[in-house]
Amino acid sequence: MTDRYAVIGNPIAHSKSPLIHAEFARQTGQDLNYEAIEAPLDGFAATIARLRNEGYKGCNITVPFKFEAYQLCNQLTGRARAAQAVNTLLFEEGEILGDNTDGAGLIADIEQNVGCKLLFKRVLLMGAGGAAHGVIWQLFNAGASVVIANRTVDKAQQLAAEFVSYGTVFASSYEALAGKQFDVLINATSSSLSDELAPLPSGIFAPHALAYDMMYGRETPFMKFARDQGAATISDGLGMLVEQAAEAFFKWRSVRPDTASVLAKLRAQC
Ligand code: ATR
């Protein structure tokens, strides 16, 4: 029988996840169906209950339900616990198991697809919301030191305090970054959605620096700024999307799909 999976979000129509998982399934010969389901904003738990009743094997969770998903789980992986957010659920024998593959997806994309090793790198993580929270633990795991910069400095300080026992982390305002340089700059803010740019000082990119935007689909103001400032490598977040999906697919099916071919296919469509 064909196993059923889904991605749950609101809105969800734009999601590329069904296409990515269909490619993974085709490539690995797995018999599964993966669809996009929009849950009402006040109906996430009811949607999950319905899917479990109908025999779905698991699902991915996207905006704005990752924290609610975290709260629903009976069991959590360490990385989901650290992120306090869940993007992957497994339904097993009456239990809901929660994982977070976003951070692993980011690291895999930066290290394998972009080709930038994070060990001992000085990382500037821009933003202190859910997207930043979801990846910080994995940045430490990869051996990077992290400065969190946020418009509302209090939030950066809270995030840094939460993770201080995991690795080297400092909080900063954007203004206080003047005169500093970083090897890897990751835009985890939602500023691109409104076509804005966090107030980064000029000269912040070290030679050979990577500018990474978690958004994808078009050149963001951050990517344009990085180009104007001469950043050596600039990447959007499409690879992160594919890699976090591959990690979820592996959790469900115990088979690791080839991400490079799927990423190339998606890039060709963009
Ligand atoms: P997400 O889950 O996508 O991280 P979020 O939790 O709402 O969304 O967080 C959005 C992040 O983007 C915050 O860090 C926000 O900064 P503030 O905490 O100061 O609000 C940041 N952000 C949004 N628009 C921004 C802009 N124009 N410039 C700089 N930072 C911005």
Side-chain angles (χ1 to χ4, degrees):
M1 204 175 91
T2 303
D3 289 337
R4 294 164 80 188
Y5 297 87
V7 58
I8 320 292
N10 186 329
I12 200 65
H14 65 282
S15 176
K16 293 187 191 299
S17 292
L19 202 148
I20 294 170
H21 282 278
E23 273 297 317
F24 287 167
R26 192 191 51 75
Q27 194 193 86
T28 58
Q30 296 285 306
D31 184 13
L32 64 87
N33 182 62
Y34 185 108
E35 64 200 287
I37 296 176
E38 184 170 288
L41 290 175
D42 61 352
F44 175 70
T47 303
I48 294 298
R50 175 175 71 78
L51 297 189
R52 291 177 73 198
N53 269 337
E54 291 177 7
Y56 282 70
K57 298 282 181 193
C59 54
N60 285 133
I61 311 297
T62 188
V63 179
F65 298 124
K66 289 184 188 182
F67 184 63
E68 248 183 282
Y70 168 76
Q71 291 176 310
L72 266 189
C73 293
N74 307 101
Q75 277 189 57
L76 291 160
T77 59
R79 59 194 185 182
R81 219 177 271 283
Q84 290 175 23
V86 155
N87 77 334
T88 303
L89 296 178
L90 289 80
F91 304 140
E92 265 180 20
E93 293 160 11
E95 302 252 285
I96 305 179
L97 318 183
D99 192 11
N100 190 315
T101 67
D102 285 332
L106 173 73
I107 305 303
D109 190 37
I110 291 180
E111 293 209 324
Q112 286 154 38
N113 301 330
V114 178
C116 168
K117 296 292 169 228
L118 285 161
L119 186 65
F120 302 130
K121 291 283 162 64
R122 298 163 295 172
V123 171
L124 178 68
L125 185 61
M126 300 156 58
H133 205 147
V135 301
I136 187 163
W137 188 71
Q138 298 277 345
L139 287 169
F140 292 142
N141 235 13
S145 62
V146 179
V147 171
I148 304 166
N150 199 43
R151 200 170 49 176
T152 314
V153 185
D154 281 5
K155 277 168 70 181
Q157 282 166 345
Q158 276 169 32
L159 192 54
E162 197 179 314
F163 284 92
V164 75
S165 57
Y166 292 99
T168 307
V169 60
F170 298 97
S172 176
S173 65
Y174 287 107
E175 296 71 37
L177 296 173
K180 301 202 169 93
Q181 288 201 320
F182 294 87
D183 306 305
V184 178
L185 292 87
I186 300 171
N187 186 15
T189 73
S190 53
S191 60
S192 313
L193 294 175
S194 47
D195 242 0
E196 289 171 354
L197 173 66
L200 288 170
S202 181
I204 194 155
F205 295 92
H208 313 296
L210 164 66
Y212 190 99
D213 203 313
M214 287 196 193
M215 298 277 167
Y216 57 85
R218 66 191 158 86
E219 189 182 57
T220 64
F222 170 66
M223 291 165 75
K224 183 174 180 315
F225 175 77
R227 190 157 48 82
D228 293 346
Q229 289 279 315
T233 310
I234 300 170
S235 176
D236 69 6
L238 190 63
M240 176 180 172
L241 178 77
V242 174
E243 295 295 344
Q244 64 77 30
E247 192 74 17
F249 191 90
F250 179 69
K251 275 272 159 178
W252 292 327
R253 311 301 297 184
S254 306
V255 188
R256 211 167 266 287
D258 170 52
T259 51
S261 59
V262 178
L263 184 53
K265 238 180 210 178
L266 283 178
R267 289 241 181 263
Q269 287 176 7
C270 281

